[in-house]
Amino acid sequence: MKRLIVLFVVAGALLVPTGAFASGVVIKVQKGTHLVVVARTPSNVVLVHTQAKVAVGERVALHARRLHNSTFSASRVDVLGRVHRVRFRGLLLSNSGARLMVSAGGALVALHRGAHRNDSAPRPGSVVQVTVTIGANGELDEDDATTVSPTAPGGQIEGRLLLGTGTITVTSEHMSLVLKVPAGLSLTSFVPGMEVLAAFSQGPDGSLTLTALSADGDAEQADDDGGGDHGGGHDGGGGGEHGGGGDH
């Protein structure tokens, strides 16, 4: 009888999908590139390649595998419900007064600030934790932005590539970042217009230097270890592996 129970336990374990990981809240959908940005916890935001149709504010469970450039590819997405508020961390890149631009998990996320927001936001270059309300149209309205660290070692940005002399420019929907290219970092496998994920470091003077670059046009490119100089970056969105950042 004990042997039969053991067999049932082993068989049940084999049915658990090895690619499944904890649920999270969708904070951005990039339809043109089939990328979804998911806040798994307030300190863990990830980029997911998927063909699934999801909306900002939905809590989802993902069956996904980690790709070579640290993004994910989801074979299945289950919508578990919807939240109206969410918290997440990221690197504050700009503050125009009416809008904050935050890099979280490599995605550039725009946060709208209402006219009533007369207080000063954290300074660009700092790691922030933000609480946002999710509007009916998927816009994120900032409720609170708190400085976690006044400086950040660096971050990531996903977008279109423009090659310069000694620099590259990566353009997302709302912003372009110019990154210095250090000597010895080869970019011969990249061409202008490619969709890329760029990791960068931040100097004491606020200057940004490229540390790694990978193709990110689709899951196949993102998982190619021969297409560029790969590496990791920090934007305040790394960390735990549990739950999601949403508040009902």
Side-chain angles (χ1 to χ4, degrees), residues 27 44 67 104-106 233:
I27 60 173
N44 185 212
L67 303 178

Side-chain angles (χ1 to χ4, degrees), residues 122-143:
R123 298 183 62 180
S126 60
V127 177
V128 296
Q129 177 162 293
V130 297
T131 302
V132 300
T133 295
I134 302 170
N137 58 357
E139 287 190 347
L140 302 181
D141 297 319
E142 180 249 334
D143 296 327

Side-chain angles (χ1 to χ4, degrees), residues 144-208:
D144 181 67
T146 304
T147 300
V148 176
S149 171
T151 60
Q156 294 176 290
I157 183 172
E158 203 278 345
R160 293 284 179 181
L161 175 68
L162 178 64
L163 296 171
T165 303
T167 64
I168 66 167
T169 301
V170 181
T171 301
S172 188
E173 298 170 55
H174 306 284
M175 189 176 185
S176 295
L177 280 189
V178 178
L179 310 176
K180 298 178 183 178
V181 178
L185 188 62
S186 175
L187 303 179
T188 55
S189 60
F190 297 92
V191 296
M194 286 183 66
E195 196 76 18
V196 296
L197 179 64
F200 56 86
S201 62
Q202 179 175 232
D205 61 352
S207 62
L208 305 178

Side-chain angles (χ1 to χ4, degrees), residues 21 34-36 40 45-50 64-74 105-107 156-158 196-198 214-224 230-232:
F21 63 74
H34 301 289
L35 275 175
V36 174
R40 297 173 63 185
V45 178
V46 295
L47 282 175
V48 182
H49 295 266
T50 178
R65 62 186 180 91
R66 189 182 183 93
L67 303 178
H68 188 78
N69 71 348
S70 297
T71 61
F72 288 81
S73 176
Q156 294 176 290
I157 183 172
E158 203 278 345
V196 296
L197 179 64
S214 61
D216 201 50
D218 53 33
E220 183 177 356
Q221 290 183 11
D223 207 31
D224 180 10
H230 301 275

